[in-house]
Amino acid sequence: FGSLSLVATLVVLPIASINMLPAIANSSFGNQQQNSLRVAQTQQQPVALLLSAEIKKLSRDENGNQKISWNQLPPQVVPGSILRYTVTAENNTSRNMRNLAVTQPIPDGMVYIMQSATKASATNSSVDFSIDGGKSFSPQPVIKVRGRDGKVEERPAPTDAYTHVRWNFGETLPANSRVQVSYQVRVK
């Protein structure tokens, strides 16, 4: 099957004025090629993708220690809220899936929280980021800035420049298995 490109149609959770976008998966298994296959929720697909979101809640335990919990999203979120997006990729085939990559756009009205993206546990897995709308990816995006002396230098991109997160799940996603990755954002 060559390079299999999947676009998942996901349920949009009720978040006031916040647009949740679907995750996009690319993978290969075998020698034939298929492109732009839409994942329908009612059909068994080679890779099923699910996107979920939770809101961070801080509280104190009986000893006064801070406790973090992740709860179901309320009907509306307020600026400053921290959300965690979790992408679940499930290999629904009886074959190992090679080179699976899932790309998740950072929703409008959100800012990525540095170092919050989890990495898959597979060998050779990685997390990359885009600051140009998903055209290019890097583990640590940089921007070019002109200094006072007129010289152009590279600096780490600010978090509000991040537009996409991409997970590469390593060499294989075993048959009939699933993997979860996540990242956090702050509501603007």
Side-chain angles (χ1 to χ4, degrees):
F1 293 74
S3 175
L4 176 63
S5 220
L6 301 175
V7 178
T9 304
L10 301 174
V11 177
V12 177
L13 298 175
I15 305 175
S17 73
I18 296 172
N19 184 17
M20 284 185 47
L21 301 171
I24 300 168
N26 295 308
S27 178
S28 61
F29 59 115
N31 295 327
Q32 244 177 355
Q33 207 171 42
Q34 289 182 318
N35 292 315
S36 301
L37 174 65
R38 289 226 172 249
V39 175
Q41 293 178 348
T42 58
Q43 295 179 340
Q44 181 85 1
Q45 298 298 325
V47 175
L49 296 175
L50 175 66
L51 176 66
S52 62
E54 300 167 298
I55 190 166
K56 185 177 187 177
K57 181 181 176 191
L58 299 176
S59 61
R60 301 266 176 204
D61 65 15
E62 60 277 352
N63 297 325
N65 298 321
Q66 185 172 337
K67 196 168 83 171
I68 298 173
S69 59
W70 293 96
N71 300 324
Q72 182 177 352
L73 287 177
Q76 293 189 334
V77 296
V78 295
S81 296
I82 305 295
L83 306 181
R84 177 174 64 188
Y85 286 96
T86 301
V87 177
T88 303
E90 187 170 346
N91 179 356
N92 291 316
T93 70
S94 59
R95 299 180 301 250
N96 291 342
M97 183 85 47
R98 292 185 324 211
N99 304 316
L100 177 66
V102 174
T103 300
Q104 173 63 42
I106 295 172
D108 292 335
M110 311 269 182
V111 176
Y112 173 72
I113 296 177
M114 278 305 245
Q115 300 179 351
S116 68
T118 60
K119 186 174 154 184
S121 59
T123 305
N124 297 325
S125 66
S126 64
V127 180
D128 296 313
F129 305 93
S130 177
I131 59 172
D132 61 6
K135 295 176 189 166
S136 64
F137 287 85
S138 169
Q140 297 175 339
V142 294
I143 58 171
K144 293 184 180 186
V145 178
R146 186 173 306 278
R148 292 182 186 179
D149 59 2
K151 293 182 181 178
V152 176
E153 56 186 52
E154 289 186 344
R155 293 192 183 155
T159 56
D160 61 355
Y162 283 48
T163 61
H164 291 75
V165 181
R166 181 179 66 193
W167 294 272
N168 294 301
F169 290 98
E171 294 177 11
T172 42
L173 178 59
N176 299 308
S177 68
R178 64 191 294 181
V179 63
Q180 284 189 327
V181 290
S182 65
Y183 69 101
Q184 296 173 32
V185 294
R186 181 182 44 78
V187 179
K188 289 183 185 178

